[in-house]
Amino acid sequence: MNKYILIPISNNRYKIKTQSLIFTKQHAQKIKGCYWSKTQKSWVIPQSEEAKKQIENLFNTEVKVNKYKQNLNTNDKERIETTEHQDIKRVQNQNTKYVNLPKEYTETLKLKRYSRNTIKSYISHFNQFLNFYNNYDPKDITDEQIREYLLYIINNKDISSSYQNQVINSIKFYYEKVLGRPTSKYYFQRPKKEKKLPIVLSEEEVGSILKQISNLKHKCIIYLIYSAGLRLSEVVDLKITDIDSKRNIIIIRDAKGKKDRISLLSEKVVVLLRRYYKDYRPKEWLFEGQNGDKYSVKSVQTIFKNALLQTDIKKKATIHTLRHSFATHLLERGTDLRYIQEILGHKSSRTTEIYTHITKKGLDKIKSPLDDMQIDDE
């Protein structure tokens, strides 16, 4: 009788030990998640009942698990799991076949009215996932393989918890929203969100950056972002009709969360915009590119980067730092947190409360005990 013994080689993989019958590539192709491991010198399958039953059904025989091999020490597990990831990567590199994104994936994203940035992010992450398993039909990729992929990118790429969540969301979207499979079946443990305080510039530092910008269009863009606390995507999406100078407000349409909101229109910005409109005569978008389309996000980032480099500021600031700085400065000037939440367009007040941890408001009234100690500091 032909015997198949599964030997645990990690927390989620078995290697197949066969007796009497050869296990071929043709057999492996009929078992989900099966691949040849150069390290183990054997065929490897996911450690799941589904894979075990597939072998039993394929060869009409009982498959046993070699239990005594399960007690691997931590170092052995880490070594084996690392080499298994290397094997998977090697297998992927051997096959240069490129898997195209399913048409219904992009269509469903658009039908559900996901934002342009979210669609771009999901497509990028899901494309990488599909081409990691480029020998498989996406519909046949197992939960275990998805978990294996997540472990691979965590162990082999320097990714943040936010990046990891984006990858998970892009994969879950296909199986849950496109294929309509149950949510519970494709649940993955989420990483804890990193609690990092955003970088904030002082009012003096913001002023120093703004002084470096001489081009009128560039000045209007950066001034608007800071003075109204706009996101980068929001400033390039502004239309001429979104500026209401009579009421001193800016209308931000279809912003994050698919909601319209209003923000402040600075009197200084109004003066600049009037000069800008007279000189540039934009037709639809407030800030147009060379071909009359929307001004590019990359160009705005370059404007800010070049201005920052001309200052003595050493902070790792980005264009989004202006939005954080705007909110913090409002809070330090006594603006109610609820108003700041509305201006920024935060769905939850907890998002806005992050600025209470950054502001220096109140700290200037607290004195360090060290300052009152009579000690020789020379």
Side-chain angles (χ1 to χ4, degrees):
M1 181 178 177
N2 301 318
K3 292 183 179 180
Y4 289 81
I5 300 173
L6 304 180
I7 302 174
I9 56 171
S10 68
N11 288 332
N12 55 17
R13 292 282 160 183
Y14 289 130
K15 76 174 181 179
I16 303 172
K17 183 178 179 182
T18 63
Q19 295 178 2
S20 303
L21 187 67
I22 297 175
F23 190 92
T24 67
K25 184 177 181 180
Q26 286 69 33
H27 296 136
Q29 289 174 342
K30 296 178 181 179
I31 299 171
K32 293 179 183 179
C34 184
Y35 64 92
W36 175 260
S37 169
K38 186 177 180 181
T39 307
Q40 297 295 331
K41 294 184 172 58
S42 71
W43 291 99
V44 171
I45 63 169
Q47 202 174 103
S48 67
E49 278 299 313
E50 182 184 4
K52 182 171 173 286
K53 286 186 180 298
Q54 284 179 328
I55 297 177
E56 290 177 336
N57 293 335
L58 187 61
F59 297 104
N60 194 27
T61 186
E62 183 181 4
V63 175
K64 294 184 177 181
V65 177
N66 195 343
K67 299 286 186 182
Y68 73 87
K69 289 282 186 178
Q70 297 221 20
N71 296 322
L72 299 169
N73 62 45
T74 303
N75 290 335
D76 286 339
K77 285 181 180 179
E78 289 179 353
R79 176 182 56 79
I80 289 169
E81 288 178 0
T82 299
T83 54
E84 286 303 305
H85 285 311
Q86 292 172 347
D87 284 331
I88 294 173
K89 187 177 181 181
R90 179 184 55 78
V91 170
Q92 302 307 315
N93 289 338
Q94 284 179 348
N95 189 342
T96 56
K97 173 187 172 184
Y98 182 79
V99 179
N100 291 317
L101 191 76
K103 184 180 178 182
E104 59 268 28
Y105 187 83
T106 306
E107 288 177 347
T108 307
L109 282 167
K110 290 179 178 178
L111 285 171
K112 289 189 174 292
R113 307 287 299 210
Y114 278 57
S115 71
R116 180 178 65 247
N117 288 339
T118 301
I119 291 175
K120 183 179 178 181
S121 173
Y122 273 36
I123 287 174
S124 174
H125 291 312
F126 193 61
N127 249 329
Q128 290 180 56
F129 169 71
L130 289 183
N131 285 284
F132 188 85
Y133 290 114
N134 53 7
N135 285 323
Y136 295 87
D137 185 318
K139 296 176 182 177
D140 295 332
I141 294 174
T142 65
D143 287 1
E144 198 59 42
Q145 285 175 294
I146 296 173
R147 184 174 181 275
E148 186 72 29
Y149 175 72
L150 294 173
L151 287 171
Y152 167 74
I153 62 172
I154 291 168
N155 291 335
N156 293 273
K157 297 183 178 182
D158 184 19
I159 63 171
S160 64
S161 59
S162 174
Y163 184 99
Q164 182 181 335
N165 272 324
Q166 288 174 8
V167 174
I168 292 173
N169 289 338
S170 70
I171 296 171
K172 281 169 65 66
F173 182 86
Y174 176 71
Y175 292 104
E176 294 173 13
K177 305 300 182 183
V178 179
L179 299 185
R181 294 181 182 176
T183 301
S184 58
K185 188 176 180 181
Y186 297 95
Y187 174 78
F188 307 104
Q189 186 173 0
R190 299 281 184 164
K192 286 186 178 180
K193 193 171 182 179
E194 299 160 343
K195 295 182 179 179
K196 292 184 178 179
L197 295 177
I199 294 171
V200 169
L201 298 166
S202 68
E203 291 189 27
E204 293 74 21
E205 287 172 327
V206 172
S208 177
I209 293 171
L210 298 181
K211 288 176 183 177
Q212 309 305 320
I213 306 170
S214 56
N215 180 281
L216 181 57
K217 179 192 283 189
H218 297 174
K219 186 176 289 190
C220 286
I221 292 171
I222 304 302
Y223 274 45
L224 258 178
I225 290 175
Y226 171 69
S227 66
L230 301 183
R231 297 181 178 93
L232 178 52
S233 60
E234 292 170 351
V235 76
V236 296
D237 283 343
L238 284 175
K239 293 186 176 181
I240 299 169
T241 52
D242 295 332
I243 303 298
D244 189 339
S245 58
K246 291 183 179 179
R247 298 172 61 203
N248 281 338
I249 61 170
I250 303 168
I251 304 171
I252 300 106
R253 303 186 187 278
D254 202 21
K256 190 174 182 180
K258 299 298 177 184
K259 291 182 179 180
D260 293 352
R261 74 176 195 277
I262 61 173
S263 188
L264 313 176
L265 179 60
S266 160
E267 293 178 3
K268 287 187 177 180
V269 171
V270 171
V271 174
L272 285 173
L273 285 177
R274 283 172 178 161
R275 285 175 48 204
Y276 162 75
Y277 185 80
K278 184 178 179 181
D279 290 353
Y280 286 83
R281 294 290 176 180
K283 294 180 176 58
E284 180 183 5
W285 305 104
L286 183 59
F287 302 111
E288 295 177 342
Q290 292 182 349
N291 298 321
D293 51 357
K294 288 190 292 188
Y295 205 67
S296 76
V297 165
K298 188 175 181 180
S299 295
V300 178
Q301 291 170 328
T302 301
I303 295 168
F304 178 80
K305 184 179 178 181
N306 290 339
L308 180 65
L309 289 173
Q310 294 177 57
T311 68
D312 296 326
I313 300 169
K314 302 302 180 184
K315 295 175 182 177
K316 294 182 179 179
T318 66
I319 193 73
H320 200 69
T321 304
L322 292 178
R323 177 173 158 89
H324 291 314
S325 303
F326 164 79
T328 306
H329 299 162
L330 282 184
L331 189 60
E332 289 175 345
R333 287 168 173 260
T335 307
D336 191 289
L337 203 63
R338 290 172 298 175
Y339 295 130
I340 298 175
Q341 178 186 345
E342 289 294 325
I343 291 170
L344 295 180
H346 287 162
K347 183 178 181 181
S348 170
S349 59
R350 286 181 296 179
T351 308
T352 317
E353 285 168 4
I354 187 69
Y355 300 111
T356 63
H357 301 292
I358 306 169
T359 178
K360 64 180 182 179
K361 184 181 179 182
L363 287 178
D364 53 354
K365 298 178 182 178
I366 303 173
K367 192 174 183 180
S368 171
L370 179 64
D371 293 335
D372 288 332
M373 290 183 183
Q374 302 299 319
I375 55 176
D376 185 6
D377 58 356
E378 293 183 1

